[in-house]
Amino acid sequence: MVSTAKIISMFVPIVFSLVLFIGLILYFRKKTDIAVKPLIAGAIGFVVMTQVLEKALHLAVITAFPNYADHPWTFGLYGGLATGLFEELGRFLLFTWLLKKFHDYKGGISFGIGWGGIEAVLLMLTMMVPNIMFAFMINGGTLEKTLAGQMPADQVAAIKDTVLNNGVSFYLLACVERFFAVFMQIAFSLWVLIAVVKKKFVYVIYVILIHAAIDFPLVFVQTGHFSNLWVVELYIAIVGMISFWLIKKGRVLLP
């Protein structure tokens, strides 16, 4: 059985991501005034670049290399670079073509909140909603029967073990990860905008490589080669702290 406390903890990251997104909008609306167009452009840009185009590439690669999990170093290099390229080039194109009137700090912050905020909401929904559904199925004794015709028995057993074995802290730590990740996305957005304003595309390349380097170690978690969540969260927290500094630095370099 999945405890009530664990089920409630699955809902917490979803609520947290929504509150974080709305809270950032309200906070920066008061502090710097939010520009609506780059906010919306950032949100739509994230969906198109990562959830449509990047996922289409990942599907093709995983189909061609089904044993990717056995090669975390290679897959980490591919995954990090793919994420960096799609996200940072997407930001660059939007700032260059669609957001020419928003080449200031306010525009960069607004865009970053849209990009990082919608990422937090969508990731928490896609991660937590299936787990919530599986938890209710397990408690109702219908998991195996419901999923029997959709996937092999060993995959169903793996899902059941994962839901039963992941503790409350596993789900609550997702809130910490999303908090720092949003500020990382804001920092990346500002620095891509700085590249556009100063006409130095090399800055975009730097951001792509930094993004890839940050994501690279996380592949070892995704493929099951590393499982210490506290180390992962500490790593993300350090990245988040650096992001705070980059955001502050970006304010000096942008009008």
Side-chain angles (χ1 to χ4, degrees):
M1 292 288 289
V2 182
S3 68
T4 301
K6 187 181 294 187
I7 293 175
I8 291 173
S9 73
M10 295 177 186
F11 282 96
V12 172
I14 298 174
V15 176
F16 177 82
S17 64
L18 289 167
V19 172
L20 178 62
F21 192 11
I22 296 170
L24 285 171
I25 294 173
L26 295 176
Y27 174 78
F28 281 101
R29 181 183 179 184
K30 182 178 180 180
K31 189 173 182 180
T32 62
D33 191 17
I34 286 290
V36 176
K37 186 175 179 180
L39 179 73
I40 295 173
I44 295 175
F46 173 81
V47 173
V48 173
M49 296 304 298
T50 69
Q51 304 303 295
V52 179
L53 299 179
E54 186 183 348
K55 279 195 173 180
L57 174 63
H58 290 336
L59 180 61
V61 171
I62 291 173
T63 301
F65 302 97
N67 297 322
Y68 69 91
D70 297 331
H71 307 280
W73 289 91
T74 303
F75 190 70
L77 181 62
Y78 153 74
L81 286 174
T83 298
L85 284 167
F86 275 98
E87 293 202 34
E88 308 318 327
L89 290 180
R91 290 186 233 261
F92 178 78
L93 292 174
L94 286 169
F95 277 127
T96 302
W97 292 343
L98 186 63
L99 301 172
K100 293 181 180 180
K101 296 182 179 179
F102 299 93
H103 288 179
D104 57 5
Y105 182 76
K106 179 177 72 174
I109 287 288
S110 302
F111 183 93
I113 291 173
W115 192 286
I118 202 67
E119 176 191 43
V121 173
L122 290 180
L123 285 184
M124 291 303 95
L125 285 173
T126 55
M127 288 174 59
M128 298 303 164
V129 170
N131 281 332
I132 293 169
M133 295 173 62
F134 294 146
F136 281 118
M137 289 180 191
I138 291 171
N139 288 351
T142 61
L143 181 72
E144 289 82 0
K145 182 179 179 180
T146 303
L147 300 181
Q150 303 177 33
M151 59 184 68
D154 59 336
Q155 291 186 21
V156 176
I159 289 173
K160 186 173 183 178
D161 288 342
T162 299
V163 175
L164 290 173
N165 293 330
N166 284 340
V168 170
S169 62
F170 174 84
Y171 300 103
L172 297 183
L173 282 173
C175 299
V176 179
E177 177 187 346
R178 281 303 98 198
F179 176 79
F180 289 112
V182 166
F183 288 98
M184 182 185 73
Q185 295 290 19
I186 294 173
F188 286 158
S189 299
L190 285 173
W191 280 88
V192 170
L193 178 55
I194 290 170
V196 174
V197 171
K198 297 191 175 293
K199 295 180 170 55
K200 292 187 176 181
F201 187 75
V202 67
Y203 286 3
V204 179
I205 296 175
Y206 292 155
V207 177
I208 290 171
L209 294 176
I210 292 170
H211 199 151
I214 290 171
D215 281 7
F216 175 77
L218 300 179
V219 171
F220 289 85
V221 179
Q222 296 168 357
T223 55
H225 290 82
F226 188 82
S227 58
N228 192 322
L229 290 179
W230 293 103
V231 174
V232 174
E233 297 307 323
L234 176 62
Y235 169 73
I236 292 172
I238 292 171
V239 172
M241 294 297 183
I242 295 172
S243 298
F244 294 149
W245 178 81
L246 290 173
I247 291 170
K248 185 177 180 180
K249 187 73 173 177
R251 184 161 199 168
V252 177
L253 297 175
L254 286 169

